[in-house]
Amino acid sequence: MEKERNRHQQSPNDRFSRMMFGDKRDGTQTNSYDSPDSHPSSIDFEAIFDNIGRLKESSQNLKPLIQKVYPFVEQFFKKK
């Protein structure tokens, strides 16, 4: 009986828990990115507008692909 109880209790270090929830960490967290100063003068507006232009161009290039794929997706949802 005792062996069975121990078998059903999962240790906090089992593989499944590590895969799903990651390793336990301390309460301290560090940011993995460098955040620039929050001062408005340090914002690079040229880079922001350049990225917006790239996003717009990419979305326009993807539009024909989405139009070709949409009927298949629509059929999938109709089957349910």
Side-chain angles (χ1 to χ4, degrees), residues 3-64:
K3 288 181 183 179
E4 188 175 324
R5 185 177 297 156
N6 288 338
R7 190 179 73 189
H8 288 293
Q9 291 177 345
Q10 293 181 352
S11 69
N13 294 326
D14 66 325
R15 285 191 210 175
F16 180 77
S17 295
R18 283 191 312 239
M19 179 183 69
M20 294 301 292
F21 307 112
D23 293 330
K24 289 188 176 183
R25 298 181 186 160
D26 295 340
T28 59
Q29 293 182 350
T30 58
N31 292 337
S32 62
Y33 59 91
D34 296 331
S35 63
D37 296 336
S38 62
H39 197 283
S41 65
S42 66
I43 297 173
D44 188 5
F45 288 107
E46 184 177 338
I48 292 172
F49 287 123
D50 185 42
N51 287 333
I52 291 172
R54 288 181 186 174
L55 287 171
K56 184 178 176 185
E57 182 181 325
S58 296
S59 66
Q60 293 298 321
N61 290 338
L62 288 174
K63 193 173 183 178

Side-chain angles (χ1 to χ4, degrees), residues 61-73:
N61 290 338
L62 288 174
K63 193 173 183 178
L65 175 66
I66 293 171
Q67 288 175 346
K68 289 180 182 178
V69 172
Y70 184 73
F72 297 110
V73 174

Side-chain angles (χ1 to χ4, degrees), residues 69-80:
V69 172
Y70 184 73
F72 297 110
V73 174
E74 193 175 37
Q75 286 178 355
F76 176 73
F77 285 124
K78 284 183 181 179
K79 286 184 179 182
K80 286 187 175 184

